[in-house]
Amino acid sequence: MSSWEFLSVQPSELNFQLELKKQTSCTLQLTNKTDRYVAFKVKTTNPKKYCVRPNTGIVLPKSTCDVTVTMQAQRELPHDMQCKDKFLLQSVIANDGATTADITPEMFNKEAGKVVEECKMKVIYIPPPQPPSPVPEGSDEGSSPRASQLDDGNYSSSLFDNAKSESLEFIEKPSESWAVITKLTEEKKSAIQQTQKLQQELGLLRREKDRSAGFSFFIMALVGLLGVLVGYLVKA
């Protein structure tokens, strides 16, 4: 933290984590240490590369103000990760009740009897996060089960044989299942045919029984009628 009479600035450096083709930002916190209104202005040696919001403003007495500095997307990383860009924060006592609209460039001119504080800040590049390092090929932790198995010729051969037998078994099982299904289908068809045949025979037996029952009743009626006639003749 840089401590001054008017404003304290945190942090005292602008830190940007570089990422190719991506904007990156950092924030400055300005704290007014006085009981007066303080006007500030932010300048940079490379205005095309950075965007400062707000670049001017008023910090109320005993209050804070955040300033966001955004660095434009970079197409390539600097070889030495060094940056020569600089920032300058100027602050001056303003009139009570002043607003951002009241700020003029002349307020920051150094004149006799006027104090203009200046805080210089440099830019620090932070390297992008590094990807995790690959595990060495000879490491036991990084070797996959398949790789360790293939290191042994016998084991890989047995593994291939097991896989082959399993695949053959898998191929044979559907044919066995199909044979079972075909057999069951034929048995079901035969059972249906037997059932239909039995039903037909049962129908014939019922019709013959009905006919025989009717014939027996006719014989009995005829015998009874003859008995009545014989009795009548005998009485006559």
Side-chain angles (χ1 to χ4, degrees), residues 183-196:
K183 183 177 180 181
L184 291 175
T185 304
E186 293 176 354
E187 292 179 354
K188 180 180 178 181
K189 184 177 179 180
S190 176
I192 293 174
Q193 292 176 352
Q194 292 292 337
T195 302
Q196 293 176 350

Side-chain angles (χ1 to χ4, degrees), residues 25-147:
S25 302
C26 67
T27 301
L28 297 174
Q29 187 177 72
L30 313 182
T31 302
N32 187 350
K33 301 170 61 179
T34 72
D35 295 326
R36 304 285 303 275
Y37 283 66
V38 176
F40 71 88
K41 184 177 183 179
V42 181
K43 298 180 180 180
T44 178
T45 57
N46 196 347
K48 294 183 179 180
K49 185 177 178 180
Y50 302 94
C51 177
V52 182
R53 292 290 182 272
N55 62 339
T56 59
I58 298 290
V59 186
L60 302 180
K62 302 297 182 180
S63 62
T64 60
C65 176
D66 290 339
V67 176
T68 301
V69 183
T70 302
M71 184 176 67
Q72 303 301 320
Q74 302 298 300
R75 295 183 179 180
E76 58 182 10
L77 297 177
H79 298 291
D80 54 1
M81 293 298 293
Q82 299 296 320
C83 182
K84 297 181 179 180
D85 300 334
K86 299 290 190 298
F87 280 81
L88 176 66
L89 172 67
Q90 294 179 309
S91 57
V92 64
I93 298 296
N95 296 328
D96 291 345
T99 64
T100 303
D102 299 324
I103 298 177
T104 62
E106 292 74 19
M107 293 177 61
F108 300 96
N109 293 337
K110 295 181 180 180
E111 300 174 353
K114 184 171 66 173
V115 178
V116 179
E117 285 191 347
E118 293 184 343
C119 175
K120 296 180 180 180
M121 295 169 287
K122 61 181 180 179
V123 175
I124 303 297
Y125 286 157
I126 301 175
Q130 297 296 325
S133 58
V135 179
E137 295 181 358
S139 174
D140 293 338
E141 296 180 357
S143 60
S144 64
R146 180 178 179 83

Side-chain angles (χ1 to χ4, degrees), residues 181-221:
I181 293 173
T182 303
K183 183 177 180 181
L184 291 175
T185 304
E186 293 176 354
E187 292 179 354
K188 180 180 178 181
K189 184 177 179 180
S190 176
I192 293 174
Q193 292 176 352
Q194 292 292 337
T195 302
Q196 293 176 350
K197 185 176 180 180
L198 291 174
Q199 289 178 349
Q200 292 175 358
E201 293 177 354
L202 181 60
L204 292 174
L205 290 174
R206 287 179 177 175
R207 286 194 294 271
E208 290 177 359
K209 182 179 180 181
D210 293 339
R211 285 199 299 268
S212 61
F215 181 76
S216 299
F217 178 79
F218 175 76
I219 294 299
M220 291 175 62

Side-chain angles (χ1 to χ4, degrees), residues 215-234:
F215 181 76
S216 299
F217 178 79
F218 175 76
I219 294 299
M220 291 175 62
L222 182 58
V223 170
L225 180 59
L226 290 175
V228 172
L229 289 175
V230 171
Y232 178 77
L233 292 174
V234 171

